[in-house]
Structures are given as C-alpha cells and as structure tokens.
C-alpha cells in the first residue's frame, strides 16, 4: 500500500515537471513566433513532441494499451462541429485553494489534445469574504439566499477566482479563456424566498465551442442572467448538470477534496455505482443519508437525460489522470448501465444474439482457432451460467460442474463495456456467486492488466496466462489444475504449476500475485508465485460466524465488513425484533434473521455449527449466551470451544478474558484466546492517546480526556414499523434533540474512564500505583466519529517535538494508526477504519502536554476492532477484510 502511494506520488511529481517543461517550451515558442517567421511545421512538431512526452508519462499510471485506448476514445469523442464532447469538469471551491495543482492537472489534458469544459464554484471563498464584511450567510433548503450585497460579493469572487485559474493555466503555457457570462440564461428560482437565485432555462454553448476551436480551454463561472439582464446566482453543481445536458459529453467530472463517494459505515471508497442495477437498493441503505442521498439523486437525474455512454466521476484533482486513463480509475464512477442477468441457458438470452457476440468478440473464433459451433458444443459439456448486461456489452460464461471449482471460460467485452466498467460489474457478480474461480487470457490481450489486478495469482505458459482468485496455497492450485486437465476442462499446458520451464522454451512466464491480502511465503522451490511475506503463517480456511444482536449500528457496520471478508461466512444472525426478515447489507449469501434462544446457542455450539460468535448486545445481556456456549463446548467430542468476541462492557474487567486492543496489548495473546472482550470506543481512543506518554505521568495527577462522539454512539431504539410492518431501528439521540450543539453526559465515573485506567495500569512500571484518568464525554449532532482531547500534566519538561516522536516510535508501524502534524478533524475520522492522532502541543512552561486523537466509534471503536480480534483468533491475517485507509 505504501509502495503504491510512493509510486503515485512520484508519478505525479514527474508529470507536473513535464507539464512545466512543456509550458516553458510553449512560452518560448510563442516569443519566437512573435519575433521570427517560424514555419508552421516546426511549431506542430514541437506540439507533437509535447503530446508524445506526456502520453509516455501516462504509461507510469497504467499500461500502455489501456492509456492509448482511453486516449483514442476521448480524442474521437469530439468533432470540429461539436468540439465540447470530451468532458465537463466541475471544480469545487475548496479545490481552488490548491490552484497550482488544479492547473497542472488541466494542463496535462490540454497537452494530450483534450479540451474539457471547466466550470468552477467559489463557495468557501465567498463565505470568507461575506463573514469578513459582516454579512451573515443565510440558507433555506440548502440554497444560499442571495441579496444584492451577497450577489455583489459573488460577482467579485467569481471573477477573481476565474482569472486566477486562467492565469495559472497561461503560466504553464496552456491557453485558457475566461467565460463569466453569456452561457446561462435563467429565471428566478423563487424571488420571494431565495431572492437573486436563478433556475437555468437555457444554455448557449457557442462561446464554449468558439473557445475550443480557438485552441483555448473554456473556464466558466456559474452566474446566469435573466432575459432582462439581471445577474442571478446559481449553484455550481446544478449549472454543471445543465451544461452537461446541453453538451452531452462522455465524462462529467466533479472535483472535490475527498476524491470520491464513500460507504457511510465502512468508510470504503465506492469505486463504481451502476445506477440501473443499484440505485433503488442504495437509496434504502441506512448509511446513505442527507448529502450522499441528494448527490445520488442528482446524478441519476442528470444521467437519465444523457446517452448511456456518458458517465459521472467524483475525483480529486491530483488523481484526475488516473481516473480518466486507467481501467481501475481512482475515484467513484457513476453510470446508468443496465441491469445484469444470470442465465443457465442460451435460449434465455436469445441464441442469435449470443452467437453474434461469440462471432464478433471471441479471440479464438476471430483468429480461426475455433468456430462459433465449436464454442457452443463445448458449452454443453458442463453445467454453466452466462453473466452479462442487457445490451450484451459484456458476456461471461462460467463452467460450474457440481462439486468442482468453476472456470470462467469466456469474458467477452465491447469497447463500451470496458470504458464504462460494465466488465467490472459483471465480474463482481461472478465473485458474489463463486468464492474460487480460474480463468485464462492471451498474453497479448489488450486488457491483460485488468486480469492481473483482479487475480490472487497467475502464471504464463504457451502464450496464455492462467489466473485465479480464492486459492492461496500452491499445492492446492496444482491439485485443482491437475484435476482440470484430467477432466479436459483446461488444455494441457499448465502443469507442473511449480518452477518455470528452462529459458529456451517459448512462452514461459512467472507467476504474479496482485492480491492486497497478506499471504504465506511460498518456499523458494516454487519460484514464480509472487506473494506477500508475513511474519507468521496465516490460515485461509473458511470459517462460520454467528452474530447475536444485529439490530444496532455496530451490528450493521460489522455485517457490511463481513460481506467483504475473504474467509469468514456469516451464517447466523439473531435479532428478536427482526426475526424472519432478510439481512440487509450482506451480499455473500442470503441470510435471514432468527431469534436464537440460549438453548439454541448451546445446541449449535455442541454440534459445531459455527467457529466463532460475536455478541453485539447491550451491557448486562451477554452472560446467559456465553454460559450457553460454555455448556455446549463441554459436550463437544473435541472439547474445543468456539471463539467469542463480546462487544459489550460485560467482560472487559474479567481476568479470564483477553482484552482485544492489538496495538497496545499484543497480537499473540489474542491469537491464543477463545474469549475476547472488545474495548469500548472512547476507551480505545483514550488508551491510544495516553499510552505513549505513560513514562511522563505525573504522580498524584490525572490525565484528563474530553471526548466528543457522534450521536450513533448513544445507541439505538426501536422505531415505528415501516409500511411492510418491518421494525425500524432509529438513533436514541437525534441531531434535532441536540439543537445544533453538544450535550455533556456521565460527567464522572463513565465506565470507559475505569476501563481505560485499569488496562493502561498494566503497562506501568509501577503496578502498585495504578493510573487514574478523568474522562468527560459529550454527544454531538454528527452521525459517527469521536474526537478526544488529552490534557496531561508531565513529570518533567519536554518539547512538542519530543511528544510527537514518542507517538511515532509507538505507532509508526501500525497500519490502523495515522499520525498527523495538525489536529485531526472529523473528515480524518468519520467512516475511517483507523485511529488518527495529531496536534501535539506542550504548554509554554513545558509541564503539560495536549494531544488530539480520534476514531469512528462504529469502526475502529467497534466493528473494525472486532474484525481485527476475530482475524487473529481464527488464525487469519489481522487485516483480512479491512480496507486500509
């Protein structure tokens, strides 16, 4: 992960330098052109050299084939009669604060001959000036009320920011044209309510097209005019949408600081959203709230007006090239797509349509090595499933004999299917159905990198590469391939699976693994299988898990995480209120809520139905279920008990239970434990904050931690049933009840205060004098995320630099700890799986340190930490199934 980050940074630096050099060359060329009569051919030669240089640099972020394919498609999207068909790029006001990087990214596109239409906002800049001038911003329904003074400021700010961007582009030798009026015509949205705010009624694309034909990037603001000439303020996102409806570009790009849309519980970036397939379900998800729901609705409304070849991308400015020119992208891609299908017969699709796809796209048929009839005959030899989308932009065939490992025998995609990520949607549908899969691809496949990125392992022989996922042991791969060849399911070209053949044999390659999961190191005798070395062997054996108490926010977060776990299967989910209803948010298999009694739990443990239990119950409720598991374990023939991870506070003070905070109390004890108490959310952050400073604890004083948590930390209650009668879970504390402020509670003797003090005392050199902690919690009107501020008297004088060094020494190698120079804010914490710490300060007298830390109470404060403990106790890699921020 770190290496990838460094490569990305290096690529960005090299690219920026190339743009600057090209810009200097362009500036010099312009000067020469003014002085001398330079031939047009020599000028064109320099421009072509710049384009070739930048294009070669793009190869460092993707394969040559995929970069050239995307570049060719984008370049052919526009025509002199319609030159604005490439992209509309909407730039958020916050992105303008880093205008040099933005200009470099746009100049990069200009250098390869692409002309995006750029429209920018200026909300943050306006707010700064408005507040400085004593005007209080007023919003109704999220819309800025714009009076005459506000509009005057808006015009000034828009013009200034527009000219800054144009100037930054021109400085790089990129021609740009400011267009601050004449494009948008509008009527009043609601004059009495919003005042000078417009609703766009017409878009005039002529100034934009004239700019591109003149060789300049058009840079627009979102101000509009009425037919009578009155200037009106328009939301920049809405203006970008209306502009896109008129131009119908291939790409509509929204640049923001976050770089995409993110899952509201796991914090994982959403790579692709296929609206036709996913929109209805997404809008029902409990984590899709407020701003995210509004964005999805706006994107759907926009794309419904555009051709299916158009798509929306939400991305950061510094990753713009990776999003546009690689198949994997870097932000969130939103497209209409089509609903996917699964059929077990050709007739369900239409035999003629299916035959045409084979004829037009199958490389074996195209090269004459096979025929359409031969492909259809081979298809009938085993049971199979055909996956695809409605227009057949992608068709995949999976051979799946009963009890055998499936093989994807065909993956046939059109250009549109690759460009619009339909191939990824189809592949993900296959992964949901099959935990293991093998497939092959030609070595000269244009999309070969795509296969590598989605495989856990591969190797190449005789001009073909064999790929697979879901198998990590070489001996198992060898056994599976041998079985394939014996049954004629795979041509005899891949055995032995071990070392490569001698160099004189053509077509022999090495195994490559692109898995992000840590795996066992393969002995050197099996050369060719690139794997990630880990310090301790880890298991890949599938295990079964039961979750008791799935109604709350933590249970929902854990369910979503488990949906992406490579080895743990969630087989039982118990909830008294939801019994009989299907589990939502879990995609690996269909699971229905049950209401397990203690007798059911004892029987399941006796029969060995599950390998682990998670208790996500309120405090004081867990013990009867734990006792039932203990009884069932005693009756098992093996005498071996399942693993239990308890999320409540019931066993955090029990000596027979392992306290599961791996970053502080070690991994090995958890690996050896069957009974693990998951730390509390506040207690986790508090202990991580204080631990590096324990040697400076001042005798007789108490470190004080002030904690602020999102309202999800207060828990849930049963709400009114939905129209179908299904019980609804709602937050116990609502933002409305907080009236926009904080609410302190449990001002003394909070249970996390005692919890943190008890366990931190085990780290002290002097166990006779345990540490005492003062903790004051508050609840805030955001959904999730805890910000903890530590104020700690010091036993001796130290500097802020010394304090930061202690945290770096303690946590420098921890994957789920992020150390910042500044104070962590909610964006560093909410929806993240890690704990962030920063803002290291020491009082001027050197006797008191202040440090700020934070985590998401539902993730690192609960579900993510639970999964760390489960992974360790079940023998998996600690971070399996956890997206690393």
């Amino acid at each position: 992960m770190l290496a990838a980050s460094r490569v990305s940074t290096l690529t960005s630096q090299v690219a920026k330098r190339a743009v600057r050099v090209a810009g200097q060359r362009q500036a010099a060329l312009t000067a020469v052109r003014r002085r001398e009569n330079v031939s047009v051919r020599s000028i064109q030669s320099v421009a072509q050299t710049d384009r070739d240089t930048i294009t070669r640099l793009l190869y460092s972020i993707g394969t040559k084939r995929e970069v050239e394919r995307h570049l060719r498609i984008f370049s052919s999207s526009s025509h002199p009669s319609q030159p604005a068909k490439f992209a509309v790029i909407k730039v958020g006001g916050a992105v303008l604060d880093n205008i040099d990087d933005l200009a470099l990214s746009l100049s990069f596109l200009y250098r390869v001959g692409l002309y995006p239409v750029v429209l920018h906002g200026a909300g943050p800049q306006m707010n700064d000036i408005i507040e400085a001038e004593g005007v209080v911003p007023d919003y109704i329904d999220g819309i800025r009320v714009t009076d005459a003074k506000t509009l005057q400021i808006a015009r000034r700010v828009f013009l200034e920011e527009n000219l800054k961007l144009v100037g930054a582009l021109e400085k790089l030798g990129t021609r740009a044209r400011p267009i601050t009026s004449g494009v948008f015509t509008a009527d009043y949205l609601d004059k009495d309510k919003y005042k000078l705010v417009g609703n766009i009624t017409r878009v005039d694309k002529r100034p934009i097209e004239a700019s591109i034909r003149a060789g300049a990037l058009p840079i627009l603001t979102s101000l509009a005019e009425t037919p009578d000439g009155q200037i009106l303020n328009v939301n920049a996102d809405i203006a970008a949408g209306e502009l896109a409806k008129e131009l119908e570009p291939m790409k509509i790009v929204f640049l923001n600081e976050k770089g995409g849309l993110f899952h509201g519980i796991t914090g994982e970036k959403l790579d692709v959203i296929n609206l036709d397939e996913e929109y209805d379900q997404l809008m029902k998800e409990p984590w899709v709230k407020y701003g995210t729901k509004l964005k999805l609705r706006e994107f759907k409304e926009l794309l419904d007006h555009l051709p299916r070849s158009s798509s929306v991308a939400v991305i950061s400015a510094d990753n713009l090239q990776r999003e546009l020119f690689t198949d994997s992208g870097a932000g969130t891609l939103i497209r209409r797509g089509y609903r996917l299908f699964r059929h077990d017969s050709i007739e369900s699709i239409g035999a003629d349509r299916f035959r045409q796809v084979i004829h037009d796209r199958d490389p074996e048929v195209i090269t004459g090595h096979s025929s359409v009839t031969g492909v259809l005959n081979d298809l009938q030899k085993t049971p199979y499933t055909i996956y695809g989308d409605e227009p057949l932009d992608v068709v995949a065939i999976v051979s799946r004999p009963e009890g055998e490992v499936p093989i994807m025998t065909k993956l046939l995609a059109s250009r549109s299917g690759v460009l619009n990520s339909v191939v990824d949607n189809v592949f993900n549908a296959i992964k949901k159905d099959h935990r293991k899969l093998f497939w092959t691809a030609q070595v000269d496949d244009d999309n070969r990198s795509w296969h590598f990125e989605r495989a856990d392992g591969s190797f190449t022989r005789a001009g073909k590469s064999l790929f697979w996922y879901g198998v990590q042991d070489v001996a198992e791969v060898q056994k599976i391939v041998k079985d394939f060849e014996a049954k004629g399911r795979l041509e005899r070209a891949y055995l032995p699976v071990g070392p490569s053949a001698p160099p004189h044999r053509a077509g022999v390659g090495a195994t490559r693994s692109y898995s992000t999961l840590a795996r066992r190191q393969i002995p050197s005798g099996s050369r060719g299988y690139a794997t990630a070395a880990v310090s301790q062997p880890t298991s890949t054996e599938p295990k079964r898990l039961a979750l008791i108490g799935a109604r709350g926010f933590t249970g929902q977060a854990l369910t979503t995480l488990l949906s992406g776990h490579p080895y743990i299967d969630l087989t039982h989910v118990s909830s008294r209120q939801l019994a009989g209803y299907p589990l939502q948010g879990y995609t690996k298999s269909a699971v229905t809520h049950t209401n397990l009694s203690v007798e059911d739990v004892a029987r399941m443990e006796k029969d060995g139905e599950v390998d682990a239990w998670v208790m996500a119950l309120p405090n004081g409720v867990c013990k009867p279920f734990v006792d039932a598991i203990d009884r069932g374990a005693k009756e098992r023939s093996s005498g071996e008990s399942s693993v239990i991870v308890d999320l409540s506070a019931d066993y955090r003070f029990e000596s027979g239970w392992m306290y599961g905070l791996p970053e502080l109390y070690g991994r090995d004890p958890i690996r050896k434990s069957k009974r693990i108490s998951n730390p509390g959310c506040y207690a986790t952050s508090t202990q991580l904050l204080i631990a590096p400073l324990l040697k400076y604890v001042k005798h007789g004083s108490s470190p004080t931690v002030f904690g602020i948590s999102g309202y999800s930390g207060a828990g849930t209650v049963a709400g009114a049933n939905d129209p179908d009668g299904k019980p609804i879970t709602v937050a116990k504390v609502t933002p409305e009840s907080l009236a926009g402020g904080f609410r302190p509670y449990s001002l003394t003797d909070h249970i996390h205060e005692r919890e943190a003090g008890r366990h931190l005392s085990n780290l002290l050199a002097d166990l006779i004098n345990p540490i005492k902690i003062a903790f004051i919690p508050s609840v805030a009107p955001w959904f999730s995320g805890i910000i903890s501020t530590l104020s700690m008297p010091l036993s001796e004088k130290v500097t802020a630099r010394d304090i930061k060094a202690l945290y770096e020494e303690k946590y420098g190698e921890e994957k789920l700890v992020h150390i910042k120079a500044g104070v962590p804010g909610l964006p560093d914490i909410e929806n993240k799986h890690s704990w962030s710490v920063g803002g290291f300060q020491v009082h001027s007298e050197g006797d008191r340190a202040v440090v700020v830390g934070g985590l998401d109470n539902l993730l690192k404060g609960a579900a993510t930490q639970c999964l760390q403990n489960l992974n360790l106790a079940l023998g998996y890699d600690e971070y399996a199934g956890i997206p690393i921020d």
Side-chain angles (χ1 to χ4, degrees), residues 99 396 407 506 594 644 766:
I99 201 163
I407 298 176
T594 57
I644 304 176
D766 180 11

Side-chain angles (χ1 to χ4, degrees), residues 352-390:
D352 290 341
R353 294 181 72 206
F354 184 77
R355 289 175 63 90
Q356 193 64 47
V357 170
I358 300 295
H359 178 272
D360 293 344
R361 299 183 204 157
D362 192 325
E364 297 285 332
V365 173
I366 293 172
T367 57
H369 290 93
S370 183
S371 65
V372 174
T373 301
V375 171
L376 297 180
N377 289 338
D378 288 342
L379 193 59
Q380 304 302 323
K381 293 178 181 178
T382 66
Y384 63 89
T385 300
I386 303 174
Y387 296 80
D389 63 330
E390 291 173 1

Side-chain angles (χ1 to χ4, degrees), residues 51 75 108-115:
R51 177 186 169 109
S75 298
F108 206 106
L109 299 176
Y110 177 83
R111 296 292 167 193
V112 295
L114 299 175
Y115 289 81

Side-chain angles (χ1 to χ4, degrees), residues 800 803-805 807-808 811 817-829 832 834-841 850-854:
I803 296 294
K804 184 181 180 186
Y807 285 83
E808 290 172 339
Y811 302 126
V817 175
H818 289 170
I819 301 173
K820 299 168 54 67
V823 175
L826 194 60
D828 302 307
I829 295 163
K832 301 292 193 299
S834 54
W835 178 71
S836 290
V837 62
F840 307 96
Q841 296 289 319
V850 177
V851 184
V852 181

Side-chain angles (χ1 to χ4, degrees), residues 168-223:
L169 288 166
E170 294 280 357
K171 186 177 179 181
L172 294 171
T174 298
R175 294 188 61 201
R177 180 176 292 183
I179 303 177
T180 57
S181 63
V183 173
F184 300 112
T185 301
D187 289 332
Y188 291 96
L189 181 61
D190 186 330
K191 191 172 183 180
D192 294 334
K193 190 173 184 180
Y194 306 115
K195 300 184 180 178
L196 300 174
V197 175
N199 177 40
I200 294 175
T201 57
R202 179 175 174 271
V203 176
D204 188 348
K205 61 184 180 181
R206 290 177 298 174
I208 298 168
E209 294 180 339
S211 173
I212 295 175
R213 290 191 185 103
L217 298 184
I219 312 297
L220 284 69
T221 68
S222 60
L223 294 176

Side-chain angles (χ1 to χ4, degrees), residues 372-508:
V372 174
T373 301
V375 171
L376 297 180
N377 289 338
D378 288 342
L379 193 59
Q380 304 302 323
K381 293 178 181 178
T382 66
Y384 63 89
T385 300
I386 303 174
Y387 296 80
D389 63 330
E390 291 173 1
L392 301 187
D393 278 333
V394 176
V395 171
I397 304 171
V398 176
S399 166
R400 45 168 187 79
E402 185 70 28
E404 297 182 27
V405 176
I407 298 176
M408 182 168 65
T409 59
K410 300 291 180 185
L411 181 61
L412 309 174
S414 68
R415 186 183 80 165
S416 176
V418 174
L419 181 65
N420 292 315
S421 298
V422 185
V423 67
D424 289 318
N425 294 338
V426 170
F427 191 75
N428 289 335
I430 294 172
K431 289 192 73 173
K432 289 180 181 179
D433 291 350
H434 303 289
R435 296 181 57 184
K436 299 177 182 179
L437 187 75
F438 281 68
W439 72 97
T440 64
Q442 298 286 344
V443 293
D444 59 353
D445 190 315
D446 285 346
N447 302 313
R448 195 160 179 253
S449 63
W450 182 93
H451 298 279
F452 279 120
E453 290 166 0
R454 284 148 185 83
D456 287 346
S458 68
F459 65 93
T460 300
R461 286 207 181 110
K464 272 191 176 182
S465 293
L466 177 69
F467 299 93
W468 66 87
Y469 68 72
V471 184
Q472 283 72 43
D473 184 74
V474 175
E476 185 180 357
V477 173
Q478 175 119 355
K479 179 178 179 299
I480 292 171
V481 173
K482 188 174 181 179
D483 185 63
F484 285 160
E485 295 190 358
K487 296 180 179 179
R489 297 184 64 202
L490 202 66
E491 62 187 26
R492 297 180 179 274
Y494 294 105
L495 288 176
V497 174
S500 300
H504 67 272
R505 287 182 58 186
V508 177

